[in-house]
Amino acid sequence: MEPLSRFLSPKAIAVIGGGTWCESVVRQCRETGFSGPIWPVHPKKSEVGGLPAYPDLSSLPGVPDAAFIGVNRELSVQIAGELSAMGCGGAVCFAAGFSEAVSELVDGDDLQEQLVAAAGNMRILGPNCYGMVNALDGVALWPDRHGMSPVESGVAVIGQSSNVLINLTMQRRGLPLAAVVAAGNQAQTSMADLGIALLEDPRITALGLHIEGISDLPAFEGLARRAQELGKPIVALKVGASQQAQEAAISHTASLTGSDAGARALLRRLGMAQVATPSELVETLKLLHVTGGLSSARIASASCSGGEASLMADMGEVVGVEFPTLDDTQKFALRAALGPKVALANPLDYNTYIWGDEAALEATFTGLCDADLALGCVVIDYPRDDRFAAPDYDQVLRAVARTRHTTGTPMALVSLLAEGLPEPVAARALELGITPLCGMGEALRAIGAAAQVGMRSEGDNQPTEPVLMPINGHGATRIYPEAEAKALLAAAGIRVPKSDRADCAETAGACASAIGFPVVLKGEGIAHKTEAGAVVLNLDCRAAVMEAAAGMPAQSFLVEEMITGTVAELLIGVTRDPAHGFVLTLGLGGILTELIRDTASLLIPASREEVRGALTGLRSGALLTGYRGRPAADMEAVLDTIMAVQELVRTHADSLHEIEINPLICRASGVVAADALIRMGERQ
């Protein structure tokens, strides 16, 4: 296969087609600064986009490194074959009507396969995409406007929506965009392939991804490994919902997991930061471009307004940003710079006493940021440049730059509103090694995202095992009766209550006597037993058991020993996610599971330490370690059970759809799976 570097940084370009889109490609390439030859190809037109056209590919004076195929879908396949035969490095397939349109065009999949076969070893981008813009080398195989300017280094963004990419190029926030690439259908060249090729360019500092769906999970794992090897961070804006999440939720786990839990767990596992909005993507990429990632979420903030200081504190707390208390060294330096009238705190309101005094500003910022911090922030909004000149505001910028040089602490300007840092100011800040963060909310979320990346790169290594992907099994799925489900758990080494089944109230009473009181009575064939009145606890005699059975909406029953000594109740759930693997959900269990929604999701296989971290990170995690003098749960037994569940999933990866243990009763010594649900396909 041709190296993507040849396609992404071509020396000669061919544009095949003569419509408006192809004319725009020719113009965009010239306007972006491409200095190599551009060869339009059209059988009838003498020129395209102001350049002389060649009647066919065989007439070209050389072999193009990259081409833009701007003809209809059937002809695109033919042209791809001709380009490949002549040794072209890669081509953008602009046409639509391939696999993305199978609901409208029955031959869409077949035609896409023909396109890939015709391309052979030549790279194909798309189909159904705009192409790419490389501002490092002045290349624009792109049939529309874009807002990029030449840069010597910067970030790359890959997306599955050409229009989203166009809009990102129009940002005025100072983001140095080095390349944007539309992946389209990813028929041959995947987002992961493109990401690796871009990150291997030493001029690319970080990578942003706009993801609508992940079709090749092992390739994404390869991208994450290569990014870590290169020490370059990745941030993703993930949208869309998996098919699995749209299935009827028969368990608490399925309803809690939601449509994007698998994707979130995957991105965390791979060390990729995740953001929620395009603005956050832009701000995070700026921070990653300048810093490569933050070592923690510990920051300091300075502003000349108490209101702004309070907003930083409140908004930072929501997203997990920390403002460490000032130490004695910081207080001494700040008092010397600010005098006795300013209250010293972090975030700091340095007031306006020193406004216009550049040396005092520098002393203040230096005193505040000369500590163990991941980032120093100075809040400032420039006045409207169409109405005011603001030379005194530039004093703040210069003071921040000298603070970075003196302390070695990464520094950022943060504006309250996005327009508070105009593009020229943002550009000057970047030249000085300062990150301009536009909009306080986006800035703080970007800091949190950059800390995720930085802490991962400095600490944890990525999991050594690949994600366990579901294997295509056979047969219809069925929900196992609770007794059968628990038998499967017991065979996997998971402790379950002593139990027996009964088909009538009288037999239930006899079973209870044999097990020993107190007991629990459950009606079989009901998923949410508590809500249906199909579970009764603490039955202490045979008559009580028979009476409870007579009043239940069930035809058969499960009689179990009553588990006592509960320290905490957990939920352990696994759902099958075709796109992301098996999602392991851990959280507060019992009847309040969905009300409290205190859960964490991991992908299988998760290590024992990852599982431990997920459990202790729950809001209710303190219940496991001994809350307010209560006994601690047997954490090792909890972990043993979760690891056994994962092994059970691995064994049945071809047929398992869902497992839920809720609750797992955690005691000071040992744990017991008190209730279980399993949905699995029938093996042929």
Side-chain angles (χ1 to χ4, degrees):
M1 190 70 68
E2 284 284 345
L4 272 168
S5 56
R6 181 184 171 199
F7 167 68
L8 294 170
S9 300
K11 305 301 183 186
I13 290 171
V15 180
I16 299 95
T20 302
W21 297 110
C22 291
E23 291 180 350
S24 180
V25 171
V26 173
R27 287 195 298 270
Q28 291 294 337
C29 245
R30 281 289 181 242
E31 291 173 6
T32 304
F34 185 68
S35 57
I38 303 172
W39 301 319
V41 178
H42 194 274
K44 297 179 181 179
K45 292 189 174 183
S46 60
E47 69 172 45
V48 174
L51 293 179
Y54 296 84
D56 50 44
L57 290 172
S58 62
S59 302
L60 295 181
V63 177
D65 298 298
F68 183 90
I69 305 175
V71 298
N72 65 56
R73 65 190 192 118
E74 290 84 3
L75 188 54
S76 292
V77 175
Q78 177 187 327
I79 295 297
E82 294 178 15
L83 285 166
S84 179
M86 68 188 299
C88 181
V92 174
C93 184
F94 177 60
F98 293 87
S99 64
E100 87 286 352
V102 289
S103 59
E104 295 85 18
L105 299 170
V106 294
D107 65 341
D109 276 337
D110 290 340
L111 199 62
Q112 183 158 304
E113 290 178 6
Q114 293 173 34
L115 175 69
V116 173
N121 288 329
M122 181 185 74
R123 291 288 186 171
I124 279 286
L125 188 60
N128 183 36
C129 76
Y130 268 26
M132 61 95 171
V133 182
N134 175 355
L136 298 165
D137 301 311
V139 180
L141 291 175
W142 192 264
D144 205 341
R145 297 178 180 88
H146 67 81
M148 296 169 66
S149 301
V151 294
E152 294 183 0
S153 69
V155 305
V157 179
I158 307 171
Q160 291 174 260
S161 167
S162 300
N163 205 55
V164 168
L165 291 174
I166 288 175
N167 294 334
L168 287 174
T169 72
M170 301 297 177
Q171 57 82 32
R172 300 182 183 182
R173 298 171 175 234
L175 176 67
L177 264 177
V180 296
V181 184
N185 292 6
Q186 304 180 76
Q188 178 219 65
T189 302
S190 70
M191 185 177 285
D193 296 331
L194 292 163
I196 290 172
L198 289 166
L199 289 175
E200 287 179 343
D201 187 326
R203 301 170 294 177
I204 300 290
T205 56
L207 179 64
L209 302 175
H210 171 243
I211 307 171
E212 295 177 5
I214 296 172
S215 58
D216 188 345
L217 197 151
F220 250 77
E221 291 178 307
L223 169 60
R225 285 193 299 272
R226 188 63 180 133
Q228 188 173 44
E229 290 167 359
L230 294 167
K232 295 186 179 182
I234 300 176
V235 57
L237 172 61
K238 173 69 175 69
V239 298
S242 69
Q243 182 64 37
Q244 179 274 335
Q246 298 172 7
E247 295 177 359
I250 66 163
S251 70
H252 296 283
T253 305
S255 62
L256 286 167
T257 297
S259 63
D260 69 343
R264 290 181 177 277
L266 175 66
L267 293 173
R268 282 196 304 272
R269 181 186 184 93
L270 298 183
M272 299 179 186
Q274 185 171 6
V275 293
T277 69
S279 294
E280 292 172 30
L281 178 66
V282 169
E283 299 309 314
T284 304
L285 281 170
K286 280 190 287 186
L287 198 49
L288 296 178
H289 169 72
V290 175
T291 68
L294 300 179
S295 58
S296 72
R298 291 165 50 86
I299 72 169
S301 173
S303 64
C304 63
S305 160
E308 289 172 337
S310 297
L311 284 170
M312 285 289 284
D314 289 349
M315 297 167 74
E317 183 178 20
V318 170
V319 298
V321 171
E322 301 176 46
F323 297 91
T325 302
L326 300 178
D327 61 27
D328 290 341
T329 301
Q330 289 170 296
K331 290 178 180 178
F332 181 82
L334 289 171
R335 184 61 69 207
L338 295 171
K341 296 182 180 180
V342 175
L344 302 183
N346 183 23
L348 173 68
D349 167 19
Y350 62 83
N351 219 291
T352 54
Y353 298 115
I354 60 171
W355 188 260
D357 185 340
E358 195 167 323
L361 288 167
E362 180 185 349
T364 298
F365 303 153
T366 299
L368 177 65
C369 297
D370 193 11
D372 181 21
L373 299 167
L375 185 70
C377 298
V378 174
V379 180
I380 185 169
D381 281 66
Y382 273 62
R384 292 178 55 140
D385 56 8
D386 60 338
R387 298 183 184 179
F388 309 99
D392 47 343
Y393 285 73
D394 289 337
Q395 292 180 323
V396 176
L397 175 59
R398 292 192 295 268
V400 171
R402 286 195 290 272
T403 296
R404 184 187 73 86
H405 179 75
T406 301
T407 65
T409 301
M411 298 295 294
L413 296 182
V414 176
S415 61
L416 179 66
L417 300 176
E419 53 267 35
L421 288 178
E423 191 170 20
V425 174
R428 291 203 302 274
L430 284 169
E431 290 173 359
L432 294 169
I434 301 165
T435 307
L437 295 174
C438 303
M440 190 176 286
E442 293 96 331
L444 287 163
R445 286 187 287 273
I447 291 167
Q452 293 174 28
V453 172
M455 289 187 288
R456 181 60 177 267
S457 63
E458 291 190 3
D460 301 331
N461 291 320
Q462 293 178 50
T464 55
E465 287 190 78
V467 170
L468 176 65
M469 290 301 294
I471 302 169
N472 292 329
H474 301 282
T477 64
R478 70 180 179 94
I479 300 173
Y480 282 38
E482 184 177 347
E484 191 176 347
K486 285 182 173 174
L488 192 60
L489 295 180
I494 297 169
R495 167 85 160 88
V496 298
K498 291 184 292 184
S499 66
D500 204 350
R501 298 181 66 193
D503 57 6
C504 66
E506 185 175 344
T507 306
C511 291
S513 297
I515 291 171
F517 297 101
V519 297
V520 178
L521 182 69
K522 299 177 180 179
E524 291 192 316
I526 301 171
H528 300 298
K529 295 180 178 62
T530 301
E531 292 88 330
V535 57
V536 181
L537 309 177
N538 278 315
L539 297 171
D540 58 3
C541 66
R542 181 169 182 160
V545 172
M546 294 174 62
E547 181 181 351
M552 272 190 189
Q555 301 300 313
S556 60
F557 309 93
L558 184 66
V559 186
E560 293 185 333
E561 66 171 311
M562 180 73 191
I563 306 300
T564 58
T566 302
V567 171
E569 293 185 343
L570 287 180
L571 172 143
I572 304 171
V574 177
T575 52
R576 181 188 188 98
D577 184 334
H580 308 111
F582 288 98
V583 182
L584 171 66
T585 299
L586 308 171
L588 178 68
I591 62 173
L592 299 179
T593 292
E594 289 177 303
L595 178 64
I596 304 301
R597 290 183 174 267
D598 181 20
T599 61
S601 293
L602 302 168
L603 293 183
I604 295 175
S607 71
R608 195 176 183 92
E609 288 312 305
E610 285 179 292
V611 172
R612 189 191 302 273
L615 290 172
T616 56
L618 296 170
R619 295 194 304 275
S620 54
L623 294 175
L624 296 171
T625 55
Y627 180 67
R628 291 196 172 184
R630 295 177 57 176
D634 187 343
M635 182 64 86
E636 297 310 311
V638 173
L639 295 172
D640 288 343
T641 299
I642 296 171
M643 300 310 287
V645 168
Q646 293 193 74
E647 194 57 38
L648 181 63
V649 173
R650 192 192 297 271
T651 301
H652 297 277
D654 62 336
S655 55
L656 181 69
H657 283 255
E658 197 168 353
I659 291 179
E660 179 175 279
I661 298 172
N662 184 28
L664 178 75
I665 295 180
C666 306
R667 302 187 292 185
S669 177
V671 298
V672 183
D675 200 356
L677 180 150
I678 293 178
R679 182 162 64 99
M680 205 150 54
E682 297 289 355
R683 286 175 168 170
Q684 300 297 310

